[in-house]
Amino acid sequence: MSRIQNTFARLAAQGRKALIPYVTAGDPYADVTVDLMHGMVAAGADVIELGVPFSDPMADGPVIQRASERALLKHISTAHVLEMVRAFRETDATTPVVLMGYANPVECYGPDRFVDDAKKAGVDGVLVVDYPPQECEAFAARLRAADMDAIFLLAPTSTDQRMAEVGRIATGYVYYVSLKGVTGAGHLDTDAVARMVPRIRAQVSVPVGVGFGIRDAETAVAVARVSDAVVIGSRIIQLIENEPRERVVPVAAGFLREIRAALDTLQGETA
């Protein structure tokens, strides 16, 4: 099994929910990302989603758009992101790392070369927002052959057919976008999430993570009650984007400790 699959299996055996923070590589400082990754793990993160900066992140709201812009101004490239993962792996051989981004950087890098270099760096999964499942079966197969997971988004507008298409090739977990719109949007309807997750599970055999709009312990717990994982990105970036270098890791870790503690109050509950 992959590191992601092992992590979810271990958490399921413990009756715990996965905490998956997202940060943009190279933001808010080019040299903080590896320390930030380690700090988030120490605070209770189970999987890390690391954003690959892109100039036109259409699924992302203003907070993550600004993070990508700041990283690009620092000339953070796909190669730099892979080097950050490689540096993280020097002292952490167990925490899964998922690269999240868009097709353009992957295509510019070269899909085969990207998979090879991601494997060598220690990446565990890849989520390409604008790779529809029916058009990237070959890419997903390359990832699986390299013991990496192909992760896909599902949305409130996803049909049963789209869920089935994703379920056929997804590994690791699927990421359910809990509301219409972009990252960081508000008005999270946890009742709607509770109705949607069983529909997803009817079509998908891998764990279901839920993100977009989760900003505090209360919403994290509400979502975790009906899912396998909670994904938080915009709120973390919002908290650290104006902090001095030395405060970035403590601020992010402090927030995640609160979320981890809240999620652990659900230990033993079944979704």
Side-chain angles (χ1 to χ4, degrees):
M1 292 196 296
S2 70
R3 266 190 288 245
I4 294 172
Q5 293 162 3
N6 277 325
T7 294
F8 275 100
R10 172 178 53 80
L11 290 169
Q14 297 170 349
R16 300 173 70 226
K17 304 303 177 86
L19 174 58
I20 307 179
Y22 166 98
V23 293
T24 300
D27 181 69
Y29 302 95
D31 66 344
V32 80
T33 300
V34 176
D35 290 343
L36 181 56
M37 294 166 73
H38 285 303
M40 293 191 299
V41 173
D46 299 295
V47 178
I48 292 173
E49 286 187 357
L50 189 60
V52 179
F54 179 52
S55 58
D56 189 22
M58 65 268 199
D60 294 308
V63 172
I64 295 180
Q65 286 182 23
R66 289 196 301 268
S68 270
E69 289 169 3
R70 288 190 296 265
L72 290 171
L73 286 171
K74 299 177 182 70
H75 307 290
I76 301 299
S77 66
T78 302
H80 290 125
V81 177
L82 294 176
E83 183 54 42
M84 292 171 189
V85 177
R86 191 175 294 108
F88 175 75
R89 282 282 171 248
E90 291 177 1
T91 51
D92 188 321
T94 58
T95 305
V97 176
V98 173
L99 297 188
M100 184 171 180
Y102 293 85
N104 185 279
V106 174
E107 295 295 329
C108 288
Y109 198 92
D112 290 341
R113 177 174 165 240
F114 175 83
V115 171
D116 290 344
D117 287 356
K119 173 65 175 178
K120 291 173 185 174
V123 172
D124 300 285
V126 178
L127 195 170
V128 181
V129 173
D130 46 349
Y131 267 175
Q134 70 274 20
E135 295 180 13
C136 69
E137 292 195 42
F139 182 74
R142 290 189 196 103
L143 290 173
R144 288 194 299 271
D147 298 318
M148 290 185 286
D149 289 309
I151 297 160
F152 292 90
L153 296 176
L154 289 171
T157 54
S158 295
T159 63
D160 288 348
Q161 179 182 351
R162 171 50 63 92
M163 293 179 201
E165 289 172 350
V166 166
R168 187 167 52 82
I169 61 175
T171 57
Y173 62 96
V174 294
Y175 182 164
Y176 175 55
V177 176
S178 58
L179 42 79
K180 298 175 185 177
V182 295
T183 56
H187 313 298
L188 176 62
D189 185 344
T190 54
D191 290 336
V193 174
R195 291 191 298 271
M196 189 65 166
V197 170
R199 282 186 56 204
I200 296 172
R201 286 194 168 124
Q203 304 290 344
V204 171
S205 61
V206 296
V208 179
V210 178
F212 282 44
I214 300 172
R215 304 181 61 79
D216 53 32
E218 181 181 0
T219 52
V221 166
V223 164
R225 279 201 165 96
V226 298
S227 68
D228 303 297
V230 172
V231 185
I232 306 178
S234 292
R235 183 56 182 156
I236 296 171
I237 291 172
Q238 201 170 43
L239 288 170
I240 65 176
E241 63 182 338
N242 294 315
E243 292 289 344
R245 169 68 174 77
E246 66 275 10
R247 289 284 298 155
V248 168
V249 176
V251 167
F255 171 72
L256 287 175
R257 284 192 193 96
E258 293 179 7
I259 304 297
R260 177 78 269 168
L263 294 182
D264 286 345
T265 65
L266 301 176
Q267 188 165 359
E269 290 189 19
T270 56

